[in-house]
Amino acid sequence: MPELPEVETIVRGLAERVTGDVIESVWLGKKPEPLKSPAQQIAAALAHSHIAAVHRMGKHIVFDLEPNHVPLPPPSSGQALPKTEETTVANPPLLMKNRSRRGRAALQGRVESTKLKGTSAPACHFIVHLGMTGRLQVCNPNLEIPKHTHAILKLASGRELRFIDPRRFGRLSVVQSFDAGGNEPLEIDLEKFIALFRERKTPIKSALLNQKLLRGVGNIYADEALFRAGIRPRRRASTITSGQFARLLAEIKEVLNEAIVAGGSSISDYVDSDGEEGLFQLEHRVYGREGKPCLTCKSPIKRIVIAGRSSHYCPTCQK
Ligand SMILES: [Zn+2]
């Protein structure tokens, strides 16, 4: 599952490739799961919108969309341009009997926006959550459409932005305003960080994973940051000193930033390629190293379960 650093890497790659582009038309597949907003609404909001920015909020990819102001040729009939986008529902979707027969002819869409010239919907956000196996691909339209493609956005630059997700835990939605909840771990300051955690009687590990407090610190990065800060995962948050909180926050930011840097060189793997390239990983010091010697003191790394999640720590280095 992509974690915050992977999502940040993907977002940087997307921002480089699609900022400033215009979505000409939208095709959405017939599987209902990936669509968190109604298909018609997504198609109407996206078609003819200008991609003003792409950024990350927690583990959500946020496309800021604005009406496209590029002047359109005057309508030949002399009538006013339609105010809203129209979408057409494709004929009842046919089952793809032969899965190998992919490509455009085999695509049966739920909704395909029309190519009417017109003004686009008001400014909004297109939100993509990759779930477990979601992937965004920016590519040439003649690149074969992979299995499990759920959305295709045709861009004015001639390329396509595709959403592919075999397991369908990913989600697509459009909203007028977006609140991802929680605080951004890379941006929060120490005072706010301490205020969030110091009253909590829960293990610090559970608190770090609580998305209402911090958004996007996953299991691996929580374990790694706690190891570097010398704090046991089961330690109650309320017993941690201000000095330890300062170190913990610094280590959280460092672990996330290291992972982002490590992923920087593999941006193209996420965004452009058609393969199943794995996610980059920071070299783990404790996560997944149960029984192996601590890299600092050689004590065997322990694994415990906190709130249903595996937690790894060194019993000597972490107090
Ligand atoms: Zn150790």
Side-chain angles (χ1 to χ4, degrees):
M1 174 182 298
E3 297 290 341
L4 185 153
E6 288 84 5
V7 177
E8 176 66 24
T9 301
I10 293 163
V11 160
R12 289 180 188 184
L14 283 169
E16 232 170 71
R17 287 164 174 78
V18 304
T19 303
D21 217 327
V22 172
I23 301 165
E24 284 190 331
S25 63
V26 181
W27 172 91
L28 297 169
K30 61 183 167 30
K31 299 280 186 200
E33 299 94 327
L35 307 182
K36 211 174 151 189
S37 303
Q40 299 273 3
Q41 194 184 327
I42 294 178
L46 265 54
H48 303 307
S49 282
H50 168 256
I51 302 172
V54 187
H55 55 103
R56 178 186 60 77
M57 288 178 80
K59 284 165 55 172
H60 296 87
I61 299 169
V62 181
F63 293 79
D64 293 345
L65 302 181
E66 289 172 357
N68 178 30
H69 293 301
V70 175
L72 294 162
S76 51
S77 64
Q79 290 170 351
L81 290 168
K83 279 197 179 102
T84 52
E85 209 42 54
E86 278 183 32
T87 56
T88 53
V89 180
N91 290 328
L94 303 170
L95 287 173
M96 263 195 267
K97 283 181 182 149
N98 183 355
R99 277 264 169 212
S100 67
R101 206 178 124 255
R102 298 203 299 271
R104 225 144 284 267
L107 276 179
Q108 295 296 331
R110 165 181 294 260
V111 166
E112 188 151 11
S113 67
T114 59
K115 290 183 178 177
L116 284 175
K117 295 185 183 84
T119 53
S120 55
C124 68
H125 307 284
F126 175 45
I127 313 291
V128 178
H129 193 288
L130 298 172
M132 305 275 289
T133 53
R135 197 154 60 83
L136 286 162
Q137 183 182 57
V138 180
C139 63
N140 195 303
N142 56 26
L143 185 69
E144 189 185 11
I145 296 167
K147 253 189 215 178
H148 311 295
T149 297
H150 305 292
I152 300 174
L153 280 52
K154 288 190 83 60
L155 304 176
S157 60
R159 296 167 305 163
E160 289 181 352
L161 174 60
R162 300 170 179 174
F163 177 68
I164 303 137
D165 188 3
R167 295 191 60 188
R168 301 199 299 270
F169 287 107
R171 294 291 178 264
L172 309 177
S173 59
V174 289
V175 291
Q176 294 300 316
S177 67
F178 182 60
D179 178 9
N183 294 273
E184 192 57 51
L186 288 172
E187 288 163 15
I188 190 169
D189 64 28
L190 181 59
E191 200 181 340
K192 183 90 193 283
F193 183 74
I194 292 176
L196 281 183
F197 292 98
R198 73 170 158 221
E199 305 287 326
R200 306 210 166 243
K201 308 271 188 261
T202 53
I204 182 64
K205 172 70 184 286
S206 317
L208 288 176
L209 295 183
N210 182 344
Q211 300 295 302
K212 289 175 190 153
L213 303 177
L214 290 183
R215 56 182 181 230
V217 176
N219 201 36
I220 298 171
Y221 298 105
D223 276 7
E224 293 297 312
L226 285 168
F227 172 74
R228 292 182 185 201
I231 299 168
R232 286 199 187 194
R234 196 128 60 185
R235 176 110 169 250
R236 284 171 189 271
S238 56
T239 68
I240 295 173
T241 65
S242 297
Q244 289 172 320
F245 273 128
R247 178 140 177 230
L248 178 58
L249 178 58
E251 298 294 1
I252 289 170
K253 290 183 178 181
E254 186 154 309
V255 164
L256 294 173
N257 278 320
E258 278 178 21
I260 291 166
V261 170
S265 58
S266 57
I267 285 177
S268 63
D269 291 348
Y270 292 108
V271 182
D272 278 345
S273 87
D274 193 31
E276 294 288 317
E277 285 83 0
L279 301 172
F280 63 88
Q281 284 183 339
L282 199 65
E283 198 184 340
H284 300 152
R285 299 188 192 171
V286 284
Y287 187 84
R289 298 193 66 243
E290 183 186 6
K292 292 186 177 154
C294 169
L295 300 175
T296 307
C297 75
K298 305 221 164 30
S299 303
I301 297 297
K302 282 198 167 180
R303 175 183 169 274
I304 55 173
V305 174
I306 298 173
R309 308 292 299 272
S310 280
S311 294
H312 306 78
Y313 71 100
C314 170
T316 306
C317 298
Q318 290 170 259
K319 307 287 182 202

